[in-house]
Amino acid sequence: MVTTSEVPQDRTFVATVDAAGAATITVLTWGKPWLVSQVSTEMPTAPTGAVCALRKRGNLITPMIAAGDAAGGDPPVTLYPGEPMTIEWTACTPGDQGKATVIYQLVEYG
């Protein structure tokens, strides 16, 4: 039987844009899988033309608005331990910071 934790949890991550104009946040779980229901991003200083992408194992889940956006809804994304989910900004200004909040529930097997 598979169940999820009753109360959603969240984690916030930060990345700084490098000299090439890119910033990446890598989300890895530990112990138990996560059922990710929403990823919210923000980089208020992102220039016009900057892009953001949510990826799982390198595969595109959804493009996002670089300055601020939220990806959520059905179906949620299952993230297994050691499986990377990334939030990637490109064409940004070096030194700027991007922030992402991941809302999830723990998956229990029993």
Side-chain angles (χ1 to χ4, degrees):
M1 181 165 87
V2 178
T3 60
T4 58
S5 57
E6 293 294 321
V7 179
Q9 300 182 43
D10 63 84
R11 297 269 189 246
T12 298
F13 304 88
V14 177
T16 302
V17 178
D18 63 19
T24 300
I25 292 171
T26 301
V27 179
L28 291 170
T29 68
W30 57 94
K32 298 178 182 175
W34 291 4
L35 188 62
V36 178
S37 58
Q38 182 175 314
V39 176
S40 299
T41 61
E42 64 177 306
M43 185 184 289
T45 55
T48 302
V51 294
C52 184
L54 176 64
R55 297 179 176 277
K56 179 180 170 183
R57 292 186 317 254
N59 298 312
L60 182 66
I61 299 295
T62 189
M64 301 175 75
I65 298 169
D69 205 352
D74 290 328
V77 175
T78 303
L79 192 60
Y80 295 97
E83 183 177 49
M85 182 174 73
T86 57
I87 300 102
E88 304 171 359
W89 286 270
T90 55
C92 295
T93 305
D96 285 353
Q97 286 197 327
K99 187 179 350 178
T101 300
V102 178
I103 299 171
Y104 64 96
Q105 290 175 284
L106 294 174
V107 177
E108 303 278 345
Y109 296 98

